[in-house]
Amino acid sequence: KAQTWNIGSSWRNKAHSLEFKIDYSKTIVYDRIIFSSFEDDTLKFFNISKLFGLHLKDRDVTSVLFFKNLPTTTTRSVDISFQWKRNTAFQWVLGFNWNQTQLSDTTNANLDRQEASRYTSIIPNFKGFILVHGRSKNISYKLQATLFGQNAFIPPDSVPYVTREKIQYANQVFKNQEQPIIDIELGYHINAKSKITIGCNNLWGFKSNETQTWEQVKYKMTFAKPTLTPTPLEEEVWKAVVQRYGTLKYSDQVQTFGVSGAFIYSKWAYSF
């Protein structure tokens, strides 16, 4: 069940072909269906076994996850756009979105940090772009620059053999706003029905930030508090849980504009 409120306003100056829009929305979604985090060899795991009347470890089950009909979320967002259409040969649009998602107090008490972060911190908190496009005789063009806000990876509350005090140092903020994504496209209209296009998405080939290494996590931990120096067993568990033994160079949970770099393309279109 969901409730949504929207309010918006727009202004237009026909004489100068200017248009301004602003919209605010608030959406409450009740009891969303989500995946839980993995529950493994912990007290919570044994409580789950008792709840279902099963001895999961006797059945060679080492971890479990569930569908949960639990979180209630409130999302607020603001969309702003400004457009100037000088003529068909030159137009530009400036756009901005800000969003924030919060969990209800009841939800917060029943989700661990990683589950909660899927709604509150994995999605960038803002997105801005500027788009310039137009056409002159047989040539059309489009250029867009997009800037994303921060998002973050948050590990689970409970990691085996690792104290709760140390878990927070695996948090990682992805500072996407340091690198605008540039898309460019150039088209040639052979005639009224045929067009050839070449273009590139993510012109500079930027990729999402790499997952921080164990050495980086260890440095943050010991720099903050020398007494938090991890044990060899903690190091092994961290590499397994957070880095998947180092096999994942990029996060499998936090993505903004992918890890494939630039995408160059060409196409020919014919309208019948």
Side-chain angles (χ1 to χ4, degrees):
K1 185 172 68 173
Q3 296 177 356
T4 301
W5 290 268
N6 294 311
I7 184 171
S9 180
S10 63
W11 170 84
R12 180 180 296 172
N13 185 320
K14 291 184 178 180
H16 295 90
S17 301
L18 298 176
E19 186 174 45
F20 174 79
K21 294 181 180 180
I22 182 169
D23 293 280
Y24 170 81
S25 66
K26 177 181 178 181
T27 302
I28 303 174
V29 183
Y30 299 91
D31 300 324
R32 305 178 75 131
I33 299 174
I34 67 165
F35 256 139
S36 70
S37 295
F38 279 97
E39 307 295 349
D40 42 34
D41 192 10
T42 61
L43 179 61
K44 196 171 184 179
F45 181 84
F46 290 110
N47 289 337
I48 292 170
S49 297
K50 290 172 61 178
L51 180 66
F52 287 94
L54 298 171
H55 296 288
L56 296 178
K57 294 188 73 66
D58 294 342
R59 295 169 181 253
D60 293 326
V61 177
T62 56
S63 64
V64 293
L65 59 80
F66 298 94
F67 283 111
K68 289 183 177 181
N69 196 202
L70 175 66
T72 293
T73 61
T74 300
T75 301
R76 298 173 176 84
S77 65
V78 176
D79 288 283
I80 299 173
S81 67
F82 186 83
Q83 180 175 334
W84 179 38
K85 186 176 180 180
R86 182 177 181 181
N87 49 48
T88 57
F90 183 80
Q91 306 172 44
W92 67 270
V93 182
L94 182 66
F96 176 83
N97 165 267
W98 170 86
N99 67 85
Q100 180 187 62
T101 298
Q102 295 177 311
L103 301 170
S104 66
D105 292 338
T106 305
T107 297
N108 261 327
N110 289 280
L111 292 181
D112 72 20
R113 297 190 317 144
Q114 187 177 58
E115 292 170 333
S117 74
R118 291 170 184 157
Y119 300 94
T120 59
S121 63
I122 283 182
I123 300 172
N125 55 0
F126 76 83
K127 175 184 176 182
F129 73 91
I130 182 168
L131 168 65
V132 179
H133 63 105
R135 176 179 175 179
S136 179
K137 294 183 179 180
N138 294 337
I139 304 296
S140 62
Y141 60 90
K142 181 172 70 173
L143 174 65
Q144 178 169 319
T146 307
L147 202 62
F148 294 94
Q150 292 186 354
N151 52 354
F153 165 74
I154 307 294
D157 282 336
S158 177
V159 176
Y161 312 111
V162 180
T163 63
R164 184 177 294 271
E165 186 181 11
K166 296 178 180 179
I167 290 174
Q168 61 180 313
Y169 294 100
N171 294 0
Q172 181 178 3
V173 175
F174 293 82
K175 298 181 178 181
N176 307 300
Q177 75 274 19
E178 295 177 356
Q179 45 196 38
I181 304 302
I182 306 296
D183 301 326
I184 188 169
E185 185 176 282
L186 186 66
Y188 177 73
H189 299 257
I190 301 172
N191 52 47
K193 292 188 174 183
S194 185
K195 178 185 177 184
I196 296 175
T197 304
I198 59 172
C200 181
N201 295 331
N202 194 356
L203 181 63
W204 306 127
F206 288 132
K207 301 177 182 180
S208 295
N209 300 134
E210 295 182 10
T211 303
Q212 59 188 346
T213 64
W214 162 251
E215 285 70 25
Q216 290 172 313
V217 175
K218 183 178 179 180
Y219 174 80
K220 289 195 299 182
M221 201 180 295
T222 53
F223 182 80
K225 201 172 183 181
T227 57
L228 294 179
T229 302
T231 66
L233 178 59
E234 287 178 330
E235 179 174 346
E236 184 68 20
V237 173
W238 272 110
K239 289 181 178 179
V241 174
V242 180
Q243 291 184 271
R244 311 288 197 274
Y245 292 107
T247 58
L248 297 180
K249 186 176 182 180
Y250 299 98
S251 173
D252 60 343
Q253 299 191 50
V254 181
Q255 291 292 327
T256 305
F257 40 80
V259 298
S260 300
F263 175 71
I264 302 171
Y265 61 89
S266 64
K267 57 186 177 180
W268 171 64
Y270 186 87
S271 301
F272 294 94

